[in-house]
Structures are given as C-alpha cells and as structure tokens.
Amino acid sequence: MIKTDAIIIGAGPVGLFAVHQLGIKGLKSEVIDNLDRAGGQCIELYPEKPIYDIPAITECTGKDLTDNLLQQIKPFKANFHFSERVEEVTQDKNNWIIKTNKNKKFTAPNIIIAGGVGSFEPRKLSLKEAEKFEGKSVFYSVTNKEILKNKNISIFGGGDSALDWALELSNTSNVTLIHRRDEFRGAPHTLSEIKKLQKKGKISIKTPCQLTSIEGDKTINAIEIKYDDEKNEKIKTDVILSFFGLIMKLGPITEWGLNIDKKVISVNTNNFETNKSGIFAVGDICTYPGKLKLILSGFHEVALASVECFKRARPKEKFRFEFTTSSKTIQERLGKLKK
C-alpha cells in the first residue's frame, strides 16, 4: 500500500501543476495516468501546435508546456504511474483507497481528478485499408512536423485541429483540406486565412466529399475522394492527417458515486471539491457556473483545491497563506535555499 497526501489522476498540464501547488505546501503526491507519458492532450493531440494563452509565455507548444511543468515540479519528487488506470475507489474513514488495473494500491486523504475529458482515442478513418499505413503515412495527431515538410498532405476534418494544421503546414508543404460538408466548425479567423491562401493557390479545399480509397504499398501515393454529386477525384498524397475528433470514455469513474452530468463532474467553486469529501475535480473534467475550459482556468482550480487538501492532510496544522517571493519555507521546498 502506497501512502501519500494526495493522489492525482491525470498527468496533463493541470495535473502536473497540482503537484506544484501541493508541493509548495509540503504535501507529497502520487500521479496516475492511463497514457504512457506526461502531458495529456497537449502531448497526444497537439505537441507542436502553438498555444498563446499561458500567462507570461508569448507562445509555446504542448510539448514545451509539458516539459516546463515537469522541470518546475522536479523539487517535489512526485512518483508517476503511467499506463495505469484507476479501477476501484473505496473509503476508509477519512482516507480514500485506490486500486489500479495493475493491482497497485494507494491510500490518501485527497484525490484530485485532473483527467481532462477522460481516457480518449482518436476517431479513426472508416476505411479498413487505412490501418496498415497508421504511424507511417496516416496520422491522427502531429508529433513531429519536421517529417511533414515538402510533402503532399491531405487533411481530413472541419474543426480547429484540421484548420490549424492546414494553415501551419501550408508554409512547407502542399496541403489539401478535405471535409464532408461545405461548412467548417473551426475558428472563423483561421478559416478566413485559409480562404486567402486558397485564392493564392497555396491550399486546396475539397468539399463536400469523403475518402473512398487509398493507393500505395508500404507508403501512400494517392487517395480517391467522392463528392456528394457522385463525382470522383484522385489526389496525389504522401501523408493523410485525419482530425475527426475523439472518442471520450470516462471509464470506471462513473461508478464512484460522483455528480456526473454529460461526462463532467459538478464541483463547488470554494475548493473544487465534488459531492464526495476529499475528492476534487479540476480542469476539463469539472463543471460549475461560468466554467471556461482553458488550461489557465485549471491552474486556478488546483491552487484552491490544494488548500483544502492541506487542511485534510494536516488537520492539526493551521494553513498559512504565503507568497513564494517572501516565504523561506517555500523557497527551501523549491530548492532555492539551503535548509
């Protein structure tokens, strides 16, 4: 049995910052994630996509943000348990006991659910023949845009991911944007920029149509699409990027007795505690009046949740709010001062 002050479920940006907020208060944490590495959606979906709304950082990628957060929490020596999923949660007086699919057991007075939208996987292309090209010529996220330079790229989808990458990759590659409808769901500004590039001949847009076949042996050399008017067109293609969204699964969390509605958990905004004392929900997984699904909102949520976690983990101690700039105790925990 692993004993700790808090168990964090989810190693995305919000879960990582929870380690920091607990750490500066002197609390230890264990982090569990069903993915094989830290970063959550930032790493799985847009590791190289620019992010512009992290305070004091003009621009960073999902990978940059993850790397910086991991560096920031190093002093707290949190243990990570990757490729594991929480299967059971039971209560023992003021503590919670968690069991994972690998039969590890944890006990702590606090559980912080920072699992984003739950476990997820991309909605894949319906063509069976696409499977053999996955990871070689068919991708559902961009992990290394360098390998996409000077390629003929066919991008499928009508949301922000498809539009953002069409715009980004048009600088170095020949991009064709393909969608099953004439209307796009992405940001109007991005679509406007793409339409400008279309007029200049730098991006080709094909709508309304769907993928019907893929040509190639070990790698793709062409695809065929079919329009709603039954016409077919062959497009020279080296790489397919497909952004049809994600299949979200909350998994066993639905059996924990939490207030879940439409795949999100209701919390109070005093400390982001759920209807179960000692279980907190932060980030995209939680909901409350006025909720904004932003990473920076999640940072705020864990800051408040960590205060209540301290009170539960150290019931005999009085919590004292301290600024990191003036607290010698916090600076020692951060390794800035010698103890």
Side-chain angles (χ1 to χ4, degrees), residues 212-227:
T212 55
S213 67
I214 299 174
E215 294 182 5
D217 184 15
K218 293 183 179 180
T219 58
I220 297 172
N221 54 53
I223 64 170
E224 188 170 279
I225 58 174
K226 185 177 183 179
Y227 292 90

Side-chain angles (χ1 to χ4, degrees), residues 185-245:
R185 304 184 315 278
H189 172 73
T190 309
L191 183 58
S192 175
E193 293 300 307
I194 286 175
K195 291 290 182 67
K196 291 177 183 177
L197 292 176
Q198 182 189 26
K199 290 179 180 179
K200 295 178 181 179
K202 293 186 177 181
I203 287 181
S204 178
I205 300 177
K206 309 288 184 181
T207 62
C209 55
Q210 298 191 51
L211 179 67
T212 55
S213 67
I214 299 174
E215 294 182 5
D217 184 15
K218 293 183 179 180
T219 58
I220 297 172
N221 54 53
I223 64 170
E224 188 170 279
I225 58 174
K226 185 177 183 179
Y227 292 90
D228 284 2
D229 62 6
E230 301 298 320
K231 290 182 179 178
N232 295 299
E233 182 180 355
K234 184 179 287 190
I235 302 171
K236 186 177 180 182
T237 300
D238 302 311
V239 173
I240 292 175
L241 296 180
S242 178
F243 300 107
F244 289 148

Side-chain angles (χ1 to χ4, degrees), residues 86-270:
V86 175
E87 293 290 334
E88 296 179 13
V89 174
T90 54
Q91 192 167 13
D92 180 21
K93 296 180 181 178
N94 292 326
N95 286 325
W96 291 98
I97 298 173
I98 271 181
K99 183 179 178 182
T100 72
N101 61 329
K102 293 186 177 179
N103 289 318
K104 284 184 188 174
K105 282 189 175 182
F106 303 79
T107 181
N110 303 293
I111 296 174
I112 297 179
I113 303 172
V117 291
S119 60
F120 59 91
E121 59 183 46
R123 197 179 301 277
K124 296 187 176 183
L125 293 167
S126 57
L127 278 183
K128 186 74 176 175
E129 59 201 273
E131 291 181 7
K132 69 176 183 179
F133 297 108
E134 288 179 6
K136 303 170 188 174
S137 303
V138 173
F139 301 96
Y140 297 98
S141 66
V142 179
T143 57
N144 181 6
K145 65 181 181 182
E146 292 301 311
I147 67 172
L148 301 177
K149 282 186 176 181
N150 304 313
K151 302 284 187 181
N152 295 304
I153 303 174
S154 290
I155 298 178
F156 288 83
D160 285 319
S161 293
L163 296 183
D164 288 346
W165 280 116
L167 193 61
E168 176 80 12
L169 297 174
S170 66
N171 295 316
T172 58
S173 299
N174 179 29
V175 173
T176 302
L177 180 61
I178 303 165
H179 188 39
R180 63 181 180 272
R181 288 189 285 269
D182 287 324
E183 300 80 20
F184 289 86
R185 304 184 315 278
H189 172 73
T190 309
L191 183 58
S192 175
E193 293 300 307
I194 286 175
K195 291 290 182 67
K196 291 177 183 177
L197 292 176
Q198 182 189 26
K199 290 179 180 179
K200 295 178 181 179
K202 293 186 177 181
I203 287 181
S204 178
I205 300 177
K206 309 288 184 181
T207 62
C209 55
Q210 298 191 51
L211 179 67
T212 55
S213 67
I214 299 174
E215 294 182 5
D217 184 15
K218 293 183 179 180
T219 58
I220 297 172
N221 54 53
I223 64 170
E224 188 170 279
I225 58 174
K226 185 177 183 179
Y227 292 90
D228 284 2
D229 62 6
E230 301 298 320
K231 290 182 179 178
N232 295 299
E233 182 180 355
K234 184 179 287 190
I235 302 171
K236 186 177 180 182
T237 300
D238 302 311
V239 173
I240 292 175
L241 296 180
S242 178
F243 300 107
F244 289 148
L246 300 169
I247 300 171
M248 316 296 181
K249 296 179 181 178
L250 285 182
I253 195 174
T254 58
E255 302 168 5
W256 298 358
L258 302 173
N259 283 340
I260 297 177
D261 181 34
K262 296 179 181 178
K263 296 186 178 182
V264 289
I265 305 169
S266 296
V267 295
N268 71 64
T269 51
N270 293 326

Side-chain angles (χ1 to χ4, degrees), residues 3 18 27 41 58 71 78 101 107 137 140 174 179 190 248 271 310 320 323 328 338:
K3 295 183 179 180
L27 302 183
Q41 293 183 64
T58 307
Q71 183 66 31
N101 61 329
T107 181
S137 303
Y140 297 98
N174 179 29
H179 188 39
T190 309
M248 316 296 181
N271 52 30
F310 177 90
R320 289 194 311 143
F323 291 108
K328 289 185 178 180
K338 291 183 180 181

